[in-house]
Amino acid sequence: MRPLLLPFACLIPFLLHIQTAFADASARYSELCAGCHSANPATHFRDSTLIQAADDRRTAQTILSGRTNRGMPAFKRALNDQQALELARFIRIASTSTPMIGRTIEAEALRADRSAGYAIAQEGDTRFLQYVDRGSHLCYDGIDLSGVRSIEYRYAKGEGEPPRRFALVAFSADFGNGARTPLGEKITSLTGGWTQFKTERIGLSRELQGVYRLCIIGMEGGGVFNLDSFTMSDALGTNDGITQSFDVSNEVVHAADQRFHVEKVAEIDGEFWSLEFLDERSLLATQKSGLLWMLRDGHAMVSIEGTPRIRFAMGDQAGLFSVKKHPQYASNGWIYLSFAEPHGEDAAATTIVRGRIRGTRWVDEQLIYRAAPEFFISSGAHYGGRLAFLGDDLYFSIGERGHQENAQDLSNPLGKIHRIRDDGRIPVDNPLIGDPKAVPSIWSWGHRNPQGLTIDPATHELWETEHGPKGGDELNRILPGRNYGWPLVTHGTNYDGTIISHESERDGIESPRAHWSPSPGVSGLTFYSSNRFPRWKNRLLIATLAQQQLKLLRLDNGRVVHEDVLLGNVGRIRDVAVSPDGLPYIALNQPNGRIYRLVPQ
């Protein structure tokens, strides 16, 4: 019996339906998945056992239900069963493996939630990653290294920059726990300008077979250069050796008159931003891409569902920032979050809410601070976002969002430290409360990008770390109603070497208590007040990003009189906190997110 053949015209509606469904699934992938995964499914899912099993219905169920233990949200409210099935089919078809020799990968096609320390810029028709710095990591999923002997990379490097080094590292299996293989390091040379691109080759120290996550990591002095693209090649090439394993040693360390070793507490496939101990048993940690994690009794971390919707985008500093408990958390259960709140297509501003955790859900959410609509802007830079409590007063930082003039404008909340009550009310004794043109929550101004806030438990003074431009990172003691100078005075310069200000101090402007050039990328900070490390008591712990160090500073009458480095070259340390039992904990990214604690020996 002959099969029934339909006229081609009868197939057109069916074919159009298939084409439309595929296009719709592609759009849903871009909307729901690309922010955390690669923009191209082939660069992430080719090594996924779930996808490659070709069981689309099982994949669809995973999409609807999520994987909370791995930080994947559920999409059952965003998709119906048919849409989830079409999305599963799209991912499977799009992730079909193809040979990679000769393939060029655009630098901006990285996995955004697994990369850090970069920005996106454009010159003419060329989009590129900008200022790849020390500790920066650019990670690309689904890279088949079979037959690859070298990688050609197209980059630019401006005048005045010293030789700097970067590394290629391949991660296998589960990124958090799988093996990492250093493939070689390269020292970049000048190209004649920051947008004068040329192509060089880095040879791989060993040949690998199969699919990996490939990361480009900035090293000593910063691997500073602009990256346009890279191409997989089977041609031989050379590199400048391998000097770093990109793991944290568990050997005993002797620093600042104390002996200790470093223990890993937790690890995620993402970027940590903030740590907060709720009590002796529970630790909260924020992931920049939007997840709130809880570690209880040292068991596996679980993500908290129902937290606010945030802005998180490639090349943007936006995300979920600080988590901080209320000083009376034991009786009221309040937990505070700061984050980049999205508005429209690309605008955002720093917002603060509070809520409670019931089981593994975020509940009872209340708005504590939101800027006026005109301050939701499209800049992706300098959100600030740190929180600190002193009694019922909540202090928080907002950066100037990359627009210097905002920092000196008192009618503008950007580039300021603010003080409000724990419920969002404005204290009547704030320093500018009597100025009708000033934002009433302002506590101090003239700030560029405050990345750390803490209270000295002995003096109740507020301290802040602040990112300078190229050089000029600062430690400030924050006093009410004071101007901290940006951009009128600074110890740094623009990234292209041009002068921002010829003055580093001025009458009427509060000078930093310490400043650093080149910039270490100062981040979270806290005072150490425990007896577990008695020689560190009452000193200041400061995390750094670019320098990848944990610093210990001794103060005398509000001045820094000594600085020690407790840890170095361990990854971008985003935050430091002290547990109720007196152990310092650090959150770092190398490039996966890890939490370590320092244990006395």
Side-chain angles (χ1 to χ4, degrees), residues 324-362:
K324 187 68 62 174
K325 69 181 179 183
H326 191 282
Q328 283 78 51
Y329 166 79
S331 59
N332 63 33
W334 286 122
I335 297 168
Y336 292 70
L337 297 175
S338 63
F339 59 97
E341 182 182 13
H343 180 73
E345 288 190 8
D346 62 356
T350 303
T351 294
I352 301 170
V353 299
R354 70 179 180 183
R356 297 183 174 98
I357 294 176
R358 187 173 299 133
T360 59
R361 289 203 61 82
W362 177 258

Side-chain angles (χ1 to χ4, degrees), residues 162 217 388 494:
I217 304 177
N494 281 313

Side-chain angles (χ1 to χ4, degrees), residues 132-133 136 151 153 155 164-169 184-189 200-202 215-220 222-225 227 239-241 246:
V132 181
D133 207 345
S136 297
I151 292 178
Y153 58 99
Y155 79 105
R164 298 182 188 265
R165 197 176 188 100
F166 73 90
L168 288 180
V169 183
E185 300 165 11
K186 192 75 170 180
I187 298 173
T188 56
S189 57
E200 289 192 357
R201 182 186 304 274
I202 176 172
C215 294
I216 301 170
I217 304 177
M219 297 185 64
E220 288 87 353
V224 177
F225 60 96
L227 182 66
N239 61 56
D240 296 318
F246 295 96

Side-chain angles (χ1 to χ4, degrees), residues 436-459:
K437 296 182 180 179
V439 175
S441 58
I442 291 176
W443 186 251
S444 63
W445 66 94
H447 298 288
R448 184 176 182 268
N449 189 22
Q451 285 291 289
L453 278 181
T454 196
I455 300 292
D456 184 339
T459 65

Side-chain angles (χ1 to χ4, degrees), residues 245-250 262 567 569-571 588 590 594 596:
S245 65
F246 295 96
D247 214 339
V248 177
S249 171
N250 60 1
V262 181
L567 294 171
N569 210 32
V570 295
L588 61 83
Q590 195 205 43
R594 292 181 169 187
Y596 290 90

Side-chain angles (χ1 to χ4, degrees), residues 395-567:
Y395 297 87
F396 61 94
S397 68
I398 303 180
E400 34 79 304
R401 300 297 304 280
H403 299 283
Q404 299 177 2
E405 66 278 5
N406 290 336
Q408 294 295 323
D409 182 357
L410 297 180
S411 68
N412 186 319
L414 308 181
K416 315 294 190 301
I417 305 294
H418 298 261
R419 181 179 76 150
I420 57 177
R421 297 297 189 213
D422 60 352
D423 60 2
R425 291 176 295 122
I426 306 296
V428 296
D429 59 345
N430 269 3
L432 301 181
I433 199 73
D435 184 345
K437 296 182 180 179
V439 175
S441 58
I442 291 176
W443 186 251
S444 63
W445 66 94
H447 298 288
R448 184 176 182 268
N449 189 22
Q451 285 291 289
L453 278 181
T454 196
I455 300 292
D456 184 339
T459 65
H460 293 172
E461 293 174 328
L462 180 66
W463 289 78
E464 173 244 29
T465 49
E466 184 167 330
H467 281 186
K470 186 180 179 182
D473 278 14
E474 297 178 356
L475 171 68
N476 289 302
R477 184 176 67 173
I478 302 299
L479 302 173
R482 301 293 180 92
N483 184 351
Y484 286 79
W486 177 257
L488 305 178
V489 299
T490 179
H491 290 270
T493 64
N494 281 313
Y495 289 106
D496 61 5
T498 57
I499 299 299
I500 298 170
S501 172
H502 290 280
E503 298 178 87
S504 57
E505 58 183 33
R506 183 189 291 188
D507 289 342
I509 289 179
E510 195 73 15
S511 294
R513 300 298 164 144
H515 60 87
W516 295 270
S517 293
S519 295
V522 289
S523 193
L525 77 166
T526 191
F527 281 89
Y528 186 77
S529 56
S530 171
N531 291 318
R532 296 294 296 273
F533 290 93
R535 295 182 182 274
W536 299 355
K537 196 166 184 178
N538 301 321
R539 298 191 186 185
L540 190 59
L541 292 164
I542 297 181
T544 70
L545 300 171
Q547 244 176 26
Q548 304 182 55
Q549 293 177 342
L550 179 64
K551 297 178 181 290
L552 180 71
L553 275 57
R554 181 159 58 90
L555 306 177
D556 185 8
N557 196 27
R559 296 286 177 183
V560 177
V561 296
H562 187 73
E563 177 181 319
D564 289 289
V565 175
L566 304 182
L567 294 171

Side-chain angles (χ1 to χ4, degrees), residues 98-118:
T98 57
M100 297 200 74
I101 298 297
R103 179 182 295 183
T104 296
I105 298 172
E106 295 298 324
E108 62 269 24
L110 47 67
R111 175 126 182 220
D113 65 334
R114 304 300 185 257
S115 304
Y118 70 95

Side-chain angles (χ1 to χ4, degrees), residues 4-15:
L4 178 63
L5 299 179
L6 296 176
F8 180 75
C10 296
L11 290 174
I12 291 178
F14 174 74
L15 295 174

